[in-house]
Amino acid sequence: MSERVNVAKTVSGDAYEIVIESDFEKLAEEISKLPVEGRKCLIVTDSNVGPLYLQEVTEKITPVFSEVYAMQIPAGEENKTLNTVRTVLVKLISSHFDRKDFIIALGGGVVGDLAGFASSVYLRGIKFIQVPTTLLSQTDSSIGGKTGVDFDAYKNMVGAFHQPSLVYMNMSVLKTLPGREFSSGMGEILKHGLIRDEEYYSWLVNNFNEITDREPEVLEHMIARSCEIKAAVVEEDPTEQGVRAVLNFGHTLGHAIEKYMNFSFTHGECVALGSIAAAWISYKRGNLSDMEFYEIRDMFVPFGLPITLPDDADVNKILEISKSDKKMDGKKVKFILLKKPGKAVIDTTVTDEEMLDALQNMIIKLD
Ligand SMILES: NC(=O)c1ccc[n+]([C@@H]2O[C@H](COP(=O)([O-])OP(=O)(O)OC[C@H]3O[C@@H](n4cnc5c(N)ncnc54)[C@H](O)[C@@H]3O)[C@@H](O)[C@H]2O)c1
Ligand SMILES: [Zn+2]
């Protein structure tokens, strides 16, 4: 099994390929198409992924680089910080990396965002390769060149656009991914269908058994389609001047929930909750029918995603946090609504009352 998606238009003008495979056998061959001769590389991975895959990846790529270094950062969103970036920079400096050397991000979105950011600032930018290992990073975060870290608990507050030279994914690593992390990836994947492709959304819904059973053929189709959607949107608008913002569907309130819950919910869980809130506002404005809204909400459940907020959640606080999120257009919140299932639109007229109503609607009081 093998698929390829090309990202032809990027900020820098350099195209890159997304290679979808079922093992690491072709990794060295794909990397050797890049200008790696005589170059060093640093593999950045985390404390969960390193013990599982670092040895194999190191063995595979040793023939194509002059030297291969590796470092493990502690796993978890709480480590996606400038302090951790500093440890990567120290390693690059002490190993005398120059501008033509490479970083390889081996891990989920945390490793990809962080190692990508380190490669964007080291010597004003060195090359990097994404080897994503979570469902979320294989279908979303490794594509499009957004890199960055959290700052004082503000999500992705410090970052840069920096395109990878190659994205190589081995789908079989998903076998070791914990169930909750698999579900987290489904938050972004359902988003891809909802914002861009109704047919794909229906296919996801109809295949939820095969998907949650992680059947290889079904996963391959799903990963490839999500990569195509993400690649198409970022090609249209690499630096988010306009249409790329539709990828933030579910993220305005989702990020606020993520921070409010102190990162105890996964990113995809918060995207699911944020998507339900955005779908509710779309429904209240007459864009979705009753049935469409309730189907969108309820179909997060079979994929292991939440559809309610804790019953003591402070919706005013969540709203307040969302206002300090950077997805603002001047003083207005840049909100993504659904015009219909499969079509998202950017809207700057969503009011505080609408957002509070949407959040309140996700609190089910059982007394
Ligand atoms: N740059 C972008 O465009 C973009 C898009 C979406 C999300 N993100 C960011 O991505 C991050 C979330 O990424 P994530 O969900 O991949 O989280 P993550 O990187 O924290 O990975 C989740 C967990 O799974 C572990 N893990 C990874 N691969 C594994 C494997 N194959 N087997 C076993 N365990 C494995 C990790 O160690 C971690 O504990 C967030 O910080 C989010 O802001 C970025
Ligand atoms: Zn996201």
Side-chain angles (χ1 to χ4, degrees):
M1 278 191 292
S2 144
E3 299 256 356
R4 303 179 89 85
V5 178
N6 188 265
V7 184
K9 193 168 152 261
T10 63
V11 192
S12 58
D14 296 336
Y16 59 95
E17 292 223 87
I18 303 164
V19 180
I20 306 168
E21 294 286 341
S22 324
D23 50 40
F24 286 122
E25 291 307 315
K26 296 219 173 75
L27 181 59
E29 185 186 322
E30 293 297 334
I31 291 178
S32 62
K33 294 176 184 167
L34 306 170
V36 288
E37 215 185 303
R39 294 294 146 207
K40 298 195 269 225
C41 92
L42 171 66
I43 306 173
V44 180
T45 188
D46 76 16
S47 49
N48 293 329
V49 181
L52 294 166
Y53 304 111
L54 180 58
Q55 193 186 344
E56 187 184 353
V57 168
T58 306
E59 281 167 11
K60 290 280 183 293
I61 66 171
T62 296
V64 296
F65 288 102
S66 63
E67 280 168 272
V68 177
Y69 297 80
M71 69 179 289
Q72 274 184 33
I73 61 170
E77 180 75 28
E78 65 277 20
N79 300 302
K80 203 175 101 172
T81 61
L82 283 177
N83 279 341
T84 314
V85 172
R86 189 175 195 286
T87 63
V88 177
L89 298 177
V90 166
K91 179 81 183 170
L92 292 168
I93 293 167
S94 64
S95 311
H96 308 292
F97 270 57
D98 75 27
R99 198 181 266 161
K100 290 187 170 157
D101 294 326
F102 282 72
I103 287 186
I104 297 184
L106 171 67
V110 166
V111 167
D113 281 11
L114 186 137
F117 182 61
S119 60
S120 80
V121 291
Y122 183 69
L123 299 176
R124 300 195 181 82
I126 63 170
K127 294 197 183 308
F128 92 114
I129 294 168
Q130 291 270 21
V131 184
T133 62
T134 60
L135 185 60
L136 185 143
S137 56
Q138 294 192 344
T139 52
D140 200 309
S141 65
S142 65
I143 306 155
K146 270 193 184 180
T147 73
V149 292
D150 305 332
F151 190 83
D152 287 352
Y154 290 105
K155 281 282 299 176
N156 302 333
M157 201 45 116
V158 175
F161 284 102
H162 189 56
Q163 307 297 328
S165 302
L166 167 71
V167 182
Y168 183 102
M169 53 191 84
N170 166 3
M171 292 180 297
S172 70
V173 302
L174 298 177
K175 284 187 191 135
T176 55
L177 191 67
R180 191 171 172 198
E181 297 302 341
F182 189 88
S183 295
S184 179
M186 290 310 303
E188 302 276 16
I189 290 169
L190 289 161
K191 175 195 82 177
H192 294 145
L194 286 170
I195 61 168
R196 199 70 179 202
D197 185 347
E198 189 180 11
E199 209 179 297
Y200 177 49
Y201 180 73
S202 304
W203 179 87
L204 292 166
V205 166
N206 292 331
N207 285 279
F208 79 85
N209 268 320
E210 292 79 358
I211 293 169
T212 50
D213 287 347
R214 308 189 195 185
E215 284 187 12
E217 290 78 22
V218 176
L219 288 195
E220 185 185 25
H221 175 74
M222 178 175 83
I223 291 169
R225 183 68 197 126
S226 269
C227 287
E228 277 168 11
I229 292 175
K230 172 99 193 218
V233 176
V234 301
E235 270 187 350
E236 268 174 58
D237 177 19
T239 53
E240 200 169 310
Q241 303 303 309
V243 66
R244 182 171 177 160
V246 297
L247 291 167
N248 297 330
F249 178 70
H251 283 62
T252 306
L253 291 172
H255 277 167
I257 294 167
E258 209 170 342
K259 188 181 173 207
Y260 175 79
M261 296 305 297
N262 241 326
F263 299 97
S264 60
F265 281 13
T266 64
H267 182 69
E269 286 169 353
C270 297
V271 171
L273 291 168
S275 299
I276 294 163
W280 175 259
I281 298 170
S282 311
Y283 160 55
K284 285 286 168 184
R285 287 185 172 203
N287 299 353
L288 300 175
S289 70
D290 221 53
M291 236 179 71
E292 284 168 337
F293 168 73
Y294 286 104
E295 177 177 271
I296 289 170
R297 187 193 69 172
D298 294 345
M299 280 317 297
F300 285 104
V301 177
F303 292 103
L305 290 162
I307 61 170
T308 56
L309 282 168
D311 58 8
D312 60 351
D314 180 346
V315 293
N316 288 297
K317 182 82 196 153
I318 297 172
L319 179 68
E320 193 189 309
I321 297 170
S322 81
K323 300 214 162 165
S324 54
D325 191 84
K326 62 192 181 329
K327 275 154 199 118
M328 304 272 285
D329 193 349
K331 274 200 142 100
K332 294 181 198 141
V333 176
K334 216 180 193 180
F335 214 93
I336 314 302
L337 295 175
L338 292 181
K339 194 145 183 65
K340 58 179 190 164
K343 175 128 188 63
V345 285
I346 303 167
D347 191 294
T348 51
T349 66
V350 173
T351 63
D352 288 2
E353 291 68 33
E354 285 176 293
M355 285 190 264
L356 286 172
D357 177 45
L359 290 166
Q360 198 64 50
N361 183 57
M362 289 193 295
I363 298 179
I364 314 284
K365 293 223 188 284
L366 295 172
D367 52 18

